[in-house]
Amino acid sequence: MGSVHVQTMSKQYEVRIDTGLRHQVGALLKELLQPVSSVLIVTDSNVAPFYLKDVIQSFDESAVVYDYVIESGEASKSFSVYEQLLTKALEVGLDRKSAVIALGGGVVGDLAGFVAATYMRGIRFVQMPTTLLAHDSSVGGKVAINHRLGKNMVGSFHQPEAVLYDTDCLMSLPEEEWKSGFAEVIKHGFIRDEAFLKQLEKEWTSFKTISVERLNDMLARSISVKADVVSEDEQEHGIRAHLNFGHTLGHAIEAQLGYGKITHGEAVAIGMLFALRLSEEMLNVNFHIEQYENWFLQLGYRTKIPASLNRERLLQTMSKDKKVEAGTIRMVLLKRLGEATIVNIPPEKIRVLLDERMEGAHG
Amino acid sequence: MGSVHVQTMSKQYEVRIDTGLRHQVGALLKELLQPVSSVLIVTDSNVAPFYLKDVIQSFDESAVVYDYVIESGEASKSFSVYEQLLTKALEVGLDRKSAVIALGGGVVGDLAGFVAATYMRGIRFVQMPTTLLAHDSSVGGKVAINHRLGKNMVGSFHQPEAVLYDTDCLMSLPEEEWKSGFAEVIKHGFIRDEAFLKQLEKEWTSFKTISVERLNDMLARSISVKADVVSEDEQEHGIRAHLNFGHTLGHAIEAQLGYGKITHGEAVAIGMLFALRLSEEMLNVNFHIEQYENWFLQLGYRTKIPASLNRERLLQTMSKDKKVEAGTIRMVLLKRLGEATIVNIPPEKIRVLLDERMEGAHG
């Protein structure tokens, strides 16, 4: 079992990491959320058949527990599903002492968290991530829905009361999901914890055989990095932007391919290698990128920009990233392993390296 | 000119009260919001013809200024208008350094404020109230939209960067609007400032002739009470609930008559007299209610519960008020003039006094 403490301006809370936590939710919430008048569990059509019943049964008979199952997938982070959830909350009579439980991956966490952030101007919520990728999104209080003109464009900062991470849920995930989530783990090493990065390189060369101990340890350490960053900068006025390492190009690749055509983590992996190369060019360092590229390939990642993508369109999306003010291309680079920095890059530099990192460019 | 300072946990800001402020918005924002990349003015179809042009022209040519005019009226505090505004914000490219200006009454302030609270997880906004009632809603950071199952059920706490109150806008308001807003002014006297209440009784016996000096002074003092309460309790965990004085019955009257059939202030006036009577019964005090009833009548208020309303339905709504936890009827009463307190009331007590305060009950 692991535990990470998160301390922000607006709230402090604990991330518990352990097998079988889903069977203890009722008891844990009694301890963490007293008093709670009623609970709404939000989950999706993939997760519900496996874990919803366990969570419901963890409450004793006096508890008032409702649930709502959304369709799995990014399309549920919509205005209409958001409104449906608020309607459900009103119909069952959630009040200011109620809580929302987000049982699922990032989509469920973001959506249910935004419902909790805005229902009656904010009620409490608890994150129960069921994917590896959600180890990242469930910590830090960023909640949002999508707009057809942009992902996560409508949302809040609303910290959970607790994150309960039942690692049993990860064991049955397909390899694609491991790959997608593990890129964020590696990112945490790159931007803030070199020793952790080295350990990952040594211990994680495949997702085929994973021990619970190694998994819990890895999650606790990865979440610690996220928690530290969020503690220093809850609302992304400064160093929280370092978490975007690999994401400026990553988002552009996802957007141009169409969301869902490549996993988030795979796009971020390509973006991180690009950002390492750019760091070498801009900051006069040498990261021996071949070594990381080989590791990524061993883990099954693509490492180059898909050849079907258009360079100028990638560049345009990168410069319109919502983290970027009008015109300039600000990117997170590494000064050295474990230390990130933000640099304004001339588009010309980026063009050259986009070409270099295209599939087939060296081959 | 008046000025009130608001200091909350999350932000401090100034409420400026003066004639002609709408002509100075551009210059004031340069001072208050540096840097601001672009501005979206949200206003409604009643206000736009009178003041929108003045506000736009107050900016110099280098400023990037957009505007969006909603239909006036409570129906605009809907999910669909909320989404339309977010679409507008994305289409014109508002970014994290942009600001929203809410030019109008409570509907515009609540809606535009909620857009600002959730666009890209929160951008800055400025309140420009144009009604007397909005002197109350524009200060304190409560923003929201309505759901068909309840008013203000979806929202946030999001403090403005500033409140710019151009009192020219009030001079042309119809008497109904004065009556509606003035009830909140009186409320501020009742719950926290007896001397202010006495002054109001003496100086305000009609809305026919109003001097700018008297108006500015009254607004500054009324807003000071609101600012003090909000400063002590931004998110309504405690004494902010005192602002609900007169509102538990007031809301029930509005809900049962149908919103728009009676002004908010008129319903609150009836609610305040009811709460005074209930205070006498519960707290062993004597407020000489006839004196307030006569003053209210002189100002043109109704003072009794409309005879068409059903007592049990009022009671039910009062006990389901969202400020109330399951079952109990918590109401704000006065221990003495200028000092509020919260009391749990047995429904039976309320029944008796509802009967007493019905139109026609005393002949």
Side-chain angles (χ1 to χ4, degrees):
Chain A
M1 139 148 200
S3 171
V4 179
H5 187 73
V6 186
Q7 168 87 52
T8 71
M9 288 283 284
S10 65
K11 194 165 288 173
Q12 49 175 305
Y13 55 95
E14 200 193 334
V15 183
R16 291 206 191 179
I17 304 160
D18 204 358
T19 55
L21 277 182
R22 68 190 179 284
H23 299 295
Q24 303 163 39
V25 178
L28 287 168
L29 292 203
K30 233 183 208 167
E31 178 193 323
L32 294 164
L33 296 186
Q34 45 170 324
V36 61
S37 56
S38 58
V39 159
L40 174 61
I41 305 167
V42 179
T43 189
D44 74 21
S45 52
N46 275 350
V47 174
F50 294 100
Y51 306 118
L52 178 56
K53 202 172 144 198
D54 293 343
V55 175
I56 292 173
Q57 288 180 343
S58 76
F59 287 87
D60 61 33
E61 292 196 356
S62 64
V64 183
V65 180
Y66 307 97
D67 64 84
Y68 194 89
V69 181
I70 61 167
E71 279 300 307
S72 71
E74 190 76 21
S76 285
K77 277 174 66 177
S78 66
F79 279 85
S80 79
V81 179
Y82 169 62
E83 192 176 351
Q84 283 164 33
L85 271 164
L86 290 163
T87 301
K88 171 78 178 185
L90 282 162
E91 281 173 353
V92 301
L94 294 201
D95 63 27
R96 293 176 164 204
K97 299 250 182 291
S98 301
V100 172
I101 298 178
L103 174 68
V107 167
V108 168
D110 284 4
L111 171 70
F114 188 49
V115 169
T118 55
Y119 183 72
M120 291 186 174
R121 298 197 181 88
I123 62 173
R124 296 169 298 173
F125 87 116
V126 170
Q127 292 271 20
M128 292 195 63
T130 59
T131 66
L132 180 56
L133 187 56
H135 92 282
D136 183 28
S137 58
S138 65
V139 176
K142 276 192 176 182
V143 296
I145 57 174
N146 299 330
H147 187 283
R148 65 179 162 78
L149 297 175
K151 277 187 74 165
N152 295 324
M153 282 295 158
V154 181
S156 299
F157 291 95
H158 188 60
Q159 301 292 341
E161 301 298 311
V163 181
L164 305 179
Y165 209 154
D166 184 342
T167 42
D168 285 350
C169 304
L170 301 186
M171 289 308 188
S172 57
L173 289 177
E175 192 164 337
E176 278 299 301
E177 287 282 340
W178 279 94
K179 259 198 313 193
S180 186
F182 198 71
E184 301 286 1
V185 178
I186 296 172
K187 181 192 78 179
H188 289 148
F190 271 131
I191 63 169
R192 212 172 156 109
D193 191 341
E194 186 183 1
F196 180 43
L197 179 69
K198 298 284 183 226
Q199 183 189 330
L200 292 172
E201 272 186 87
K202 207 173 70 188
E203 293 184 1
W204 292 80
T205 51
S206 151
F207 300 120
K208 302 269 186 261
T209 52
I210 291 152
S211 76
V212 169
E213 294 70 30
R214 203 154 48 96
L215 172 61
N216 287 358
D217 179 57
M218 175 268 275
L219 286 172
R221 195 139 176 194
S222 186
I223 289 171
S224 289
V225 170
K226 177 74 182 270
D228 282 353
V229 171
V230 168
S231 299
E232 283 182 42
D233 176 23
E234 182 173 10
Q235 301 215 348
E236 197 166 337
H237 299 303
I239 70 145
R240 187 163 182 164
H242 291 178
L243 297 170
N244 292 322
F245 180 67
H247 283 62
T248 309
L249 175 59
H251 282 150
I253 292 172
E254 285 183 277
Q256 199 179 137
L257 276 178
Y259 286 98
K261 296 289 165 52
I262 186 170
T263 66
H264 178 66
E266 197 140 41
V268 168
I270 298 168
M272 289 195 292
L273 291 167
F274 177 80
L276 287 177
R277 249 324 261 125
L278 197 55
S279 302
E280 291 184 335
E281 288 292 311
M282 299 295 294
L283 301 174
N284 198 25
V285 283
N286 186 342
F287 290 125
H288 306 286
I289 292 174
E290 325 73 59
Q291 151 196 358
Y292 295 110
E293 187 149 10
N294 288 335
W295 179 36
F296 283 19
L297 287 167
Q298 194 180 4
L299 287 168
Y301 290 101
R302 291 165 82 164
T303 59
K304 296 285 185 75
I305 301 165
S308 63
L309 298 182
N310 177 283
R311 187 193 68 180
E312 288 305 305
R313 280 184 60 201
L314 287 174
L315 192 70
Q316 200 192 4
T317 311
M318 290 169 77
S319 71
K320 281 206 299 193
D321 192 284
K322 74 169 188 263
K323 283 109 197 164
V324 177
E325 274 95 67
T328 58
I329 306 190
R330 285 161 65 81
M331 282 188 62
V332 185
L333 301 184
L334 295 193
K335 282 200 269 194
R336 55 176 193 79
L337 294 176
E339 188 176 351
T341 186
I342 293 175
V343 181
N344 285 306
I345 324 256
E348 206 35 61
K349 279 275 180 206
I350 294 185
R351 277 198 185 88
V352 172
L353 289 187
L354 284 175
D355 285 341
E356 183 190 310
R357 300 292 310 167
M358 281 275 172
E359 272 172 1
H362 287 295
Chain B
M1 139 147 201
S3 172
V4 178
H5 188 74
V6 186
Q7 168 88 54
T8 71
M9 289 283 284
S10 65
K11 193 165 289 173
Q12 48 175 304
Y13 56 96
E14 200 193 333
V15 183
R16 289 206 193 178
I17 304 160
D18 205 358
T19 55
L21 277 181
R22 68 190 180 284
H23 298 294
Q24 303 163 38
V25 178
L28 286 169
L29 292 202
K30 232 183 209 169
E31 179 192 322
L32 294 164
L33 296 186
Q34 46 172 322
V36 60
S37 56
S38 58
V39 159
L40 174 62
I41 304 167
V42 178
T43 189
D44 74 20
S45 52
N46 275 350
V47 174
F50 294 99
Y51 307 118
L52 178 55
K53 202 172 143 197
D54 292 343
V55 175
I56 292 172
Q57 287 180 344
S58 76
F59 287 86
D60 61 33
E61 293 197 353
S62 64
V64 183
V65 180
Y66 306 98
D67 64 84
Y68 194 90
V69 181
I70 62 168
E71 277 302 304
S72 71
E74 190 75 23
S76 285
K77 277 174 66 177
S78 66
F79 279 86
S80 79
V81 179
Y82 169 61
E83 191 175 351
Q84 283 163 31
L85 271 164
L86 290 162
T87 302
K88 172 78 178 185
L90 283 162
E91 282 173 353
V92 301
L94 293 200
D95 64 27
R96 292 175 165 205
K97 299 249 183 292
S98 301
V100 171
I101 298 178
L103 174 69
V107 167
V108 168
D110 284 5
L111 172 69
F114 188 50
V115 169
T118 55
Y119 183 72
M120 292 185 174
R121 297 197 181 87
I123 62 172
R124 296 170 296 174
F125 87 117
V126 170
Q127 291 272 20
M128 291 195 63
T130 59
T131 66
L132 181 56
L133 187 56
H135 93 281
D136 184 29
S137 58
S138 64
V139 176
K142 277 191 176 180
V143 297
I145 58 174
N146 299 330
H147 186 284
R148 67 181 161 78
L149 296 175
K151 279 188 73 168
N152 295 323
M153 283 294 160
V154 181
S156 300
F157 291 94
H158 188 59
Q159 301 292 340
E161 301 298 312
V163 181
L164 305 179
Y165 209 154
D166 185 341
T167 42
D168 284 351
C169 303
L170 301 186
M171 290 308 188
S172 57
L173 289 176
E175 192 163 336
E176 278 300 300
E177 288 282 340
W178 279 95
K179 261 198 309 192
S180 186
F182 198 71
E184 302 286 2
V185 178
I186 295 172
K187 181 192 78 180
H188 289 147
F190 272 130
I191 64 169
R192 211 168 156 110
D193 191 340
E194 186 183 0
F196 180 42
L197 179 69
K198 299 285 183 224
Q199 183 189 328
L200 291 172
E201 272 186 85
K202 207 173 70 186
E203 292 185 2
W204 292 80
T205 51
S206 152
F207 301 121
K208 302 270 187 259
T209 51
I210 291 152
S211 76
V212 169
E213 293 70 32
R214 203 151 50 95
L215 172 60
N216 288 358
D217 178 59
M218 175 268 275
L219 287 172
R221 196 140 176 194
S222 186
I223 289 171
S224 291
V225 170
K226 177 75 180 269
D228 282 353
V229 171
V230 168
S231 300
E232 283 182 42
D233 176 23
E234 183 174 9
Q235 300 215 350
E236 197 167 337
H237 299 303
I239 70 145
R240 187 163 181 164
H242 292 179
L243 297 170
N244 291 321
F245 181 68
H247 282 63
T248 309
L249 176 59
H251 282 150
I253 292 172
E254 284 183 278
Q256 199 179 137
L257 276 178
Y259 286 97
K261 295 290 166 51
I262 187 170
T263 66
H264 177 67
E266 197 141 39
V268 168
I270 298 167
M272 289 194 291
L273 291 168
F274 177 80
L276 287 177
R277 248 327 259 124
L278 198 55
S279 303
E280 290 185 334
E281 289 290 311
M282 299 294 294
L283 302 173
N284 198 26
V285 284
N286 185 343
F287 290 125
H288 306 285
I289 292 174
E290 326 73 59
Q291 152 195 358
Y292 296 109
E293 187 149 10
N294 287 335
W295 179 35
F296 283 19
L297 286 167
Q298 195 181 4
L299 286 168
Y301 291 101
R302 291 165 82 163
T303 58
K304 297 285 185 75
I305 302 165
S308 63
L309 298 182
N310 177 283
R311 186 192 68 181
E312 288 305 304
R313 281 184 58 201
L314 287 175
L315 193 69
Q316 200 192 4
T317 311
M318 290 170 77
S319 71
K320 281 207 299 192
D321 191 284
K322 75 171 188 264
K323 281 109 198 166
V324 178
E325 274 94 66
T328 58
I329 306 190
R330 285 160 63 83
M331 282 188 61
V332 184
L333 302 184
L334 295 193
K335 283 200 266 193
R336 54 175 194 79
L337 295 175
E339 188 176 353
T341 186
I342 293 175
V343 181
N344 286 306
I345 325 259
E348 205 37 60
K349 278 274 180 209
I350 293 185
R351 277 198 184 88
V352 172
L353 288 188
L354 284 175
D355 285 341
E356 183 190 311
R357 300 293 308 167
M358 281 276 174
E359 273 173 0
H362 286 296

